[in-house]
Amino acid sequence: MNSSNWRHVNALWRFDLLSAMRESRGVLFLVCFGLFWAFWIQKLSSGFARDLQDPNIGMVLGWFFDARVIELLQHRAPTLVTCYYIGLTATPAFAILAACDQTASDLTSRYLRFLIVRVGRFEVYLARFLGAATLVGVAQAAVGLTAIGLSLALDGGTRGGDTGATLGYGLMATLSLVAYGTSFVALMAMLSAVIVNPALSAVAGLVGYVIFHLLVSLASDRSPMIGLARYLFPSGLKAQLLAPDLGAMTLGVVAQPFYAAAFFAAGWFIFRKRDV
C-alpha cells in the first residue's frame, strides 16, 4: 500500500477506535472488563495470593488446577501469577466480545458500499482489525501493568518476588496478554466476515470456542492425535504461556502473531468476496 492508502487506514482506525468508545459494543466491553478486573484487583490487594505458595494449600490447589499452574506459583511472584492466570483465562471471552463487530455491521447495513467508493476493501478490513486490536491490547496492557504494581507492593519476601524477577516476568506476562488477545481479535475478524450479525458473531465465537475445547478434551483421552487439534486455537499454547521459564514462555508469545496472521488472512479472503 502507498502513503495515501496508509492515511486512509489511519483515519479509519482512529474513527473506529473513537466509535467503539461511544457505541454499545465498546461500552459493553469496557464496563464488563472494568467490573471484572475491579473485583479481582480488590481481592488481590488483600494479599491472599501470597498464601498460595504454602505447600499445604498447593496440595489442595492440585485437585482443581493443572500441575503447571502449581509449579508456576512456586517459582514466580504469587500475586502476579494469579492475576496473569485469571487474565489468560478471561482473554478469549473479552476479546470475542470486543471484536465481534469488525465488519459485520458494515456488511449488514450495506454501509460498506459507501466506504469503498473512497477507500479500498482491504483498508476497511485492516482498519477495523487494528481498531479492535488496539482497544483490547490497551485494556490488556493496563491489567498487566497493574498486576506488576500490585506484585511489587505485596510479594516482597516470596519466592520469585524480588524486584528484578517480578519486573522481567511481569513485562513478559503483559506482552503475552496483549499478543494472546490480538490472536482472538483476528479470529473474530474472520468470524464477523462470515456471520454478518454482531450478536450472532459473538455467540458463535464464545459457544464455538467452549464446545471445541470440550470435545477435544474428551476425545484426546481416547486418542492423543485428536488432542493435537487444540493447536488450531491460540489457547493450544497455554502450557507454554504458563511456563515459569521465560524461554518456553517466549515461544508461546512468539507463536501468537502466526495465529493472528492466519486468521486475518482467512477473514480477508472471505471479506473481499462478500457481496455489498
Side-chain angles (χ1 to χ4, degrees), residues 171-244:
L171 291 174
M172 181 59 76
T174 301
L175 179 61
S176 171
L177 288 174
V178 173
Y180 192 54
T182 303
S183 294
F184 281 94
V185 171
L187 171 63
M188 293 311 296
M190 180 180 70
L191 272 184
S192 64
V194 174
I195 306 171
V196 292
N197 180 294
L200 290 178
S201 176
V203 170
L206 288 169
V207 174
Y209 174 77
V210 172
I211 290 177
F212 175 83
H213 279 281
L214 283 175
L215 290 176
V216 170
S217 179
L218 292 172
S220 61
D221 293 335
R222 300 183 178 182
S223 172
M225 290 299 295
I226 296 178
L228 295 176
R230 65 169 54 93
Y231 293 106
L232 293 173
F233 276 91
S235 51
L237 292 174
K238 201 170 178 181
Q240 285 74 26
L241 295 175
L242 288 171

Side-chain angles (χ1 to χ4, degrees), residues 144-166:
L145 295 176
T146 300
I148 293 173
L150 274 177
S151 185
L152 289 173
L154 298 172
D155 289 337
T158 61
R159 291 188 294 277
D162 58 280
T163 301
T166 298

